[in-house]
Amino acid sequence: MRTGEPLPAVAEVLAALATGQWHWSTATGLVTVDAEAARLLGLPAEPATLRESEVRARLHPVDWNEITGVIQLAVAESTLGEVRVRIMDERGEVVRITRSRFKPGFDAEKRSYEVIGTLQEVTEPTPGTPAGRRAVTGDWRRSREAFLLDAGRALAEARSTEEVLRVAAGLSMPGFSPDGLAVFGVEGDRLTIIGHFGQQPGDEGPFSHMSLQTDYPAAEVVRTGRAVYLSSAEQYRSRYPLTWPLAAHFGRRSWAFLPLTVAGRTMGAWMAAFTYPVAFTPDERSVLTTVARMLAQALSRAGAAETQRELTDGLQRSMLPTLAPQEIPGMSVAARYVPTGGGLQVGGDWYDMIPLPGGDRFALVIGDVQGHDVRAAGLMGQLRIALRAYASEGHRPDAVLSRASRFLHGMADGDPDSLDLRFATCLYVEVDPATATLEIARAGHPDPAIRLSDGTVLTRPTAGGLPLGIDPDADYPTTRVVMELGETMLLCTDGLIETGGHDMESGWKRIRSILEDHRGGPEELADALLQAVHGPSSHHTTGPLADRREDDIAVVLLCREGEGCGCGESVAVRPAVRRTMLTVAQDEPERVAVARQHLRELLHDWPSDDQVDSAVLLLSETLTNVLVHTDADALLLAEVRGEAGGRRMRVEVTDISDDLPHKRRPGELASSGRGLMLIELLADTWGVDPRGEGKSIWFELTEAGGTGT
């Protein structure tokens, strides 16, 4: 072409460079292509106007989706868009790879896009070149998709702001990973630093509480909601001269500031800084924008969850009592509560400590309202207040529970078929510290457990009635227990026992071993119980520990101070006596089995299995003898005295009947009459002692020192 001749038309130049043109209007749904663009699409080399579906059929489906995403990104950032497009034939095979650059526009009234772009064929990299090696080790597109998938999964699983920031700091973007990150939030009209990575502690100082009107990239991003890309230090210096000195000393060469937007609201900004030049191609901007969106969603979820946890933690703290600060003569009390995890962290379990009229006694209460929702928490609060009111009026334990049951039943508005009918289990213990006497009433709740002064652990069967709220006229009999010096009583909800996939039996074995092995005081023991189930805890535990909960946990420990309980100064010396006491009523023959189990627990470390079996058999015979041959109830007292190797067990069954047992010679077919014969045969010593009113049958066995089979 000679000098002075007119320049050729743009179409002629592009055709000479094997570059086609195309125009797409989403309002009409039509795509116009010139001859070169039509050829690259696999169509006849002539201008044509095509429907979107015709063009889409010629492109790889992933690439079509990417085009639409890049168009939106380019409009939002007022930049050019660029994508790599694979052209497919009728059989679905890739026939060529092209690159398209375009300038999109958006019509707000029609809510449609107008896109004008170019299309040019590109060749695959030559094997052996750096580009070829990158192609061999994995396509950039696939690595980007895998990165975004992993990043999205990790951010979705983050449960707190701290975890979100930790995930963001560990992101390794494909081909360009920043070495410095910062997440900015907004408080009023100022920026805040939510977290940062790649800087030294204290470096964030100049950027904290910066006004949103400051000439700083993050402030501009928050004001406008549009990203800022700075590919060089010169670009940063010329665009933001006032705040450039604050960023200069970090030694970075490229920066990306992106808005953190959720539901159309910009909640902050994310900075990614690089120590090497980054061009911020459309592909790289697409990755950064996608990460920023996921990061904003994750921070929003974490912030909402933390706010909810803070509110519900305050709610549960307000509902739960603070144990009485005054000292209890001769006794110590410790308590813990952990709500269920997931969702609203307020549950239906509770405990309480209630001063009783007169000032010399108090009540311990532990309970569990059915459910793990707001209604359960509300009922728990109301039931706790009702129990406090009834106890403060001076009612006995049975009357307190009867009134509470009637109160809870009445909350169903008198409709027994109401779906909102809830019930609650409860254990109420009236404590007299002067005599260490406990009056216990139970409403469907697990029995308490006693750790004796020598470390032996026994469940303490107590009389009980239906859970509260089921029958407004239910009765709740009481059981009297006297705590010996050094003994500790455990009250807990079933969450402590059954958490971790355990049932009541296997879970109790786990708790029992903790009680037996622990040597500290009640506060340390309460922590040990929770730590053994889920890890470290506090008085009111939330967060990751609570998130692993399957059920609420409430624990109350009552210790009568003395050697063995850990409350006093000396815990090394264990007393040489341990005992248990149990009543078997005429109308409760099933408690004979409970008595047998109690004796086995008392003899848990007795070396001779044969002697243990003999003692259990003789106990069963003596209890059955009272129930069959008298009209009285039976009282069991079993104790073990002495040091290991020379201990002696004594089992005594007392009743108020004056009829003395007689040793008989029953025939082969007789169904009774062998009890005293068995005692005489198996016991080392035995006897029948009159008691003024009633009698006592007792037997003793001396430790054999060996293990039976």
Side-chain angles (χ1 to χ4, degrees), residues 128 353 460 515:
M353 181 175 179
R460 178 65 72 186
L515 293 171

Side-chain angles (χ1 to χ4, degrees), residues 444-447 459 492-499 501-512 551:
H445 201 82
D447 281 308
T459 54
C492 70
T493 55
D494 55 7
L496 180 71
I497 302 172
E498 295 181 326
T499 293
H502 289 273
D503 56 20
M504 290 297 287
E505 182 177 355
S506 62
W508 169 243
K509 289 181 179 177
R510 174 180 58 173
I511 300 305
R512 179 195 186 97
D551 196 1

Side-chain angles (χ1 to χ4, degrees), residues 37-312:
R39 182 189 70 80
L40 292 174
L41 289 173
L43 300 171
E46 58 187 32
T49 299
L50 309 170
R51 296 189 303 274
E52 287 182 7
S53 58
E54 294 179 278
V55 177
R56 186 170 185 171
R58 314 297 299 182
L59 308 184
H60 193 285
V62 172
D63 298 344
W64 174 266
N65 293 334
E66 183 170 1
I67 289 173
T68 59
V70 173
I71 287 174
Q72 296 175 11
L73 177 65
V75 168
E77 299 180 351
S78 298
T79 60
L80 294 176
E82 180 178 334
V83 292
R84 186 168 173 264
V85 183
R86 289 165 287 186
I87 309 300
M88 316 291 291
D89 60 14
E90 290 78 1
R91 295 172 297 177
E93 297 180 356
V94 178
V95 294
R96 65 175 53 86
I97 298 176
T98 62
R99 179 177 60 214
S100 180
R101 291 191 177 97
F102 47 82
K103 175 65 176 179
F106 180 68
D107 188 329
E109 293 184 1
K110 298 181 179 179
R111 300 195 62 80
S112 63
Y113 293 94
E114 292 283 338
V115 188
I116 300 175
T118 62
L119 193 65
Q120 185 178 35
E121 185 171 5
V122 296
T123 58
E124 290 295 316
T126 304
T129 64
R133 285 192 293 271
R134 286 195 299 270
V136 171
T137 57
D139 181 76
W140 189 88
R141 187 190 309 275
R142 290 194 299 272
S143 65
R144 182 191 64 183
E145 292 172 353
F147 159 75
L148 292 176
L149 182 63
D150 291 341
R153 183 184 300 112
L155 288 171
E157 292 175 352
R159 305 295 297 275
S160 65
T161 300
E162 183 179 359
E163 291 182 32
V164 172
L165 296 176
R166 186 165 56 248
V167 170
L171 294 179
S172 179
M173 301 181 191
F176 68 114
S177 292
D179 77 307
L181 300 172
V183 177
F184 298 88
V186 179
E187 287 186 3
D189 60 350
R190 295 189 174 275
L191 285 178
T192 60
I193 301 291
I194 298 176
H196 63 93
F197 170 76
Q199 290 79 227
Q200 296 297 321
D203 285 346
E204 74 278 7
F207 305 94
S208 298
H209 303 290
M210 182 181 288
S211 172
L212 290 179
Q213 303 305 316
T214 305
D215 184 32
Y216 180 64
E220 179 179 322
V221 166
V222 172
R223 291 196 309 268
T224 64
R226 302 175 65 168
V228 172
Y229 297 100
L230 304 170
S231 299
S232 65
E234 292 73 18
Q235 191 176 1
Y236 196 132
R237 184 186 304 111
S238 62
R239 188 167 174 180
Y240 303 98
L242 296 180
T243 54
W244 163 247
L246 298 177
H249 79 278
F250 290 104
R252 305 296 174 28
R253 302 179 65 182
S254 297
W255 299 260
F257 292 84
L258 297 105
L260 299 175
T261 305
V262 177
R265 181 181 67 87
T266 301
M267 54 179 287
W270 175 48
M271 181 201 75
F274 304 82
T275 55
Y276 54 88
V278 178
F280 297 117
T281 65
D283 278 332
E284 292 168 341
R285 295 187 183 195
S286 176
V287 171
L288 289 168
T289 301
T290 303
V291 172
R293 290 173 180 169
M294 293 189 298
L295 181 59
Q297 293 288 344
L299 287 171
S300 178
R301 287 192 303 269
E306 288 170 347
T307 299
Q308 186 182 65
R309 280 196 293 267
E310 183 178 350
L311 290 174
T312 55

Side-chain angles (χ1 to χ4, degrees), residues 679-699:
I679 294 178
E680 187 176 55
L681 178 64
L682 298 177
D684 292 340
T685 58
W686 69 281
V688 179
D689 297 336
R691 288 294 180 88
E693 182 179 354
K695 61 183 178 299
S696 173
I697 305 173
W698 58 270
F699 63 86

Side-chain angles (χ1 to χ4, degrees), residues 320 335-341 347-351 366-368 372 491-500 510-511 526 529-534 538-541 545 548-556:
L320 289 174
R336 298 290 185 272
Y337 172 67
V338 183
T340 187
D349 290 20
W350 88 96
Y351 67 84
I366 192 166
D368 183 359
H372 304 290
L491 315 177
C492 70
T493 55
D494 55 7
L496 180 71
I497 302 172
E498 295 181 326
T499 293
R510 174 180 58 173
I511 300 305
L529 287 168
L530 294 186
Q531 185 170 355
V533 175
H534 286 293
S538 66
H539 283 69
H540 305 274
T541 302
L545 170 63
R548 296 193 294 272
R549 306 236 46 63
E550 299 131 35
D551 196 1
D552 308 332
I553 290 178
V555 177
V556 177

Side-chain angles (χ1 to χ4, degrees), residues 354-363 386-401 403 428 430 439:
I354 308 171
L356 298 180
D360 56 344
R361 294 171 299 118
F362 64 91
L387 283 164
R388 273 188 159 263
Y390 298 142
S392 298
E393 290 175 353
H395 297 294
R396 301 289 297 164
D398 55 340
V400 170
L401 292 191
R403 283 167 168 75
Y428 184 96
E430 183 177 307
E439 294 282 350

